[in-house]
């Protein structure tokens, strides 16, 4: 892990890091799992976190040994149904759904002239950022529709640094999902895991919730880790 002084940019996941929307994704997938007769477990919910729409559907079907039961066309319509369920749940989305401390943290980064990009797998991320009135803080965004591979592949976090014209070692990525931490680590950036440290045990730094995520806490966690 490099030094805190080297850091010039922060790359954010959205759902479950900035916005309280991962619970809505989970709810909508749970509805879909019920529909196709696959049991919903905490383990399945954790596997889906951060993973793109089609990959998520495939994981659900696989967990119920149903991966060969649907044609591509039927799968596309199931994924669309999940998205409709999700959009219903987003209808009342507003600033109250920004996770504790995150607007202040992003504001602080901006005030300290760090560059900020978005590395969300969600095709709904522009809509969510808009509803939360946070677009203004982002210097760049990775469009998940342009990716060859979704999280846990490193591609989205590699691009998250490129769109800021930064090297990976100059960036910190923030994630609530195992797939996201794997992606950040594979990209050669510093990973900050937000959530259960036993689940996010591959992260360079852990915080149990967003209220602990501050520049000061990141700096001291990195210094502690490097013993400086
Ligand atoms: C991620 C969420 O940010 O985006 C996943 O953590 C979701 O739960 C994925 O499946 C894709 O989102 P969307 O909105 O494009 O279906
Ligand atoms: Mg997330």
């Amino acid at each position: 892990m490099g030094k805190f002084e080297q850091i010039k940019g922060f790359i954010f996941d959205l759902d479950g890091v900035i916005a309280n929307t991962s619970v809505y994704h989970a709810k909508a997938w749970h509805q879909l799992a019920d529909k196709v007769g696959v049991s919903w477990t905490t383990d399945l919910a954790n596997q889906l976190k951060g993973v793109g729409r089609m990959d998520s559907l495939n994981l659900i079907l696989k967990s119920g040994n149903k991966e060969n039961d649907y044609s591509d066309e039927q799968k596309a319509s199931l994924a669309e149904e999940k998205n409709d369920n999700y959009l219903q749940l987003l209808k009342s989305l507003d600033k109250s759904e920004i996770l504790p401390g995150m607007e202040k943290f992003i504001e602080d980064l901006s005030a300290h002239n760090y560059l900020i990009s978005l590395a969300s797998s969600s095709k709904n991320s522009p809509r969510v950022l808009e509803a939360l009135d946070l677009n203004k803080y982002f210097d760049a965004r990775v469009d998940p529709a342009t990716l060859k591979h979704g999280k846990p592949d490193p591609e989205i976090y590699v691009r998250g640094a490129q769109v800021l014209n930064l090297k990976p070692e100059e960036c910190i990525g923030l994630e609530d999902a195992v797939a996201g931490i794997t992606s950040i680590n594979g990209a050669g950036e510093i990973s900050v895991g937000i959530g259960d440290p036993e689940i996010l045990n591959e992260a360079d730094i852990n915080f149990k919730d967003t209220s602990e995520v501050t520049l000061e806490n990141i700096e001291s966690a990195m210094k502690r880790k490097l013993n400086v």
Side-chain angles (χ1 to χ4, degrees):
M1 186 169 80
K3 290 193 177 141
F4 179 76
E5 289 70 23
Q6 260 176 260
I7 298 303
K8 295 182 178 158
F10 285 77
I11 311 175
F12 282 84
D13 174 45
L14 176 64
D15 301 308
V17 167
I18 298 175
N20 188 29
T21 39
S22 60
V23 289
Y24 299 137
H25 276 294
K27 213 171 180 176
W29 280 127
H30 190 164
Q31 277 173 273
L32 206 277
D34 286 349
K35 177 179 170 141
V36 295
V38 171
S39 12
W40 185 253
T41 61
T42 316
D43 187 43
L44 180 58
N46 278 323
Q47 278 182 52
L48 299 185
K49 269 195 189 169
V51 173
R53 202 178 300 172
M54 261 334 227
D55 289 344
S56 297
L57 175 63
N58 285 325
L59 284 171
I60 291 174
L61 294 175
K62 198 166 165 224
S63 116
N65 291 318
K66 292 176 188 291
E67 64 264 54
N68 300 319
D69 293 8
Y70 296 90
S71 67
D72 286 351
E73 210 169 81
Q74 286 170 321
K75 282 193 198 173
S77 111
L78 288 173
E80 197 182 320
E81 188 174 329
K82 181 270 170 178
N83 197 49
D84 291 343
N85 295 342
Y86 177 63
L87 292 178
Q88 277 300 322
L89 297 167
L90 280 197
K91 269 196 171 152
S92 57
L93 190 72
D94 62 20
K95 282 181 90 77
S96 67
E97 304 268 9
I98 299 176
L99 287 165
M102 285 318 262
E103 181 159 22
K104 162 93 181 51
F105 174 58
I106 296 171
E107 243 169 39
D108 212 24
L109 294 180
S110 188
H112 285 83
N113 296 318
Y114 287 102
L115 294 173
I116 304 175
S117 70
L118 187 74
S120 166
S121 313
S122 174
K123 295 186 172 134
N124 293 302
S125 58
R127 180 194 298 249
V128 172
L129 277 187
E130 178 73 34
L132 304 180
D133 193 26
L134 293 177
N135 258 317
K136 55 187 178 229
Y137 297 111
F138 285 81
D139 298 290
R141 297 155 197 78
V142 179
D143 176 358
T146 63
L147 299 171
K148 285 204 188 70
H149 305 286
K151 297 173 191 177
D153 188 276
E155 187 179 8
I156 190 165
Y157 276 94
V158 168
R159 293 270 302 282
Q162 278 170 356
V163 292
L164 296 175
N165 289 315
L166 294 179
K167 297 185 196 125
E169 60 271 25
E170 295 172 327
C171 296
I172 290 180
L174 298 105
E175 271 287 348
D176 66 316
V178 175
I181 296 293
T182 308
S183 175
I184 299 173
N185 291 345
E189 295 155 5
I190 291 166
S191 53
V192 172
I194 305 166
D196 188 339
E198 284 188 18
I199 295 175
L200 303 173
N201 55 13
E202 298 286 328
D204 293 314
I205 297 171
N206 281 98
F207 294 114
K208 73 174 189 315
D209 62 57
T210 56
S211 64
E212 294 181 351
V213 182
T214 63
L215 256 181
E216 298 73 34
N217 287 349
I218 292 176
E219 180 173 6
S220 33
M222 283 177 73
K223 293 202 160 143
R224 241 191 337 266
K225 209 163 169 170
L226 290 168
N227 245 327
V228 290

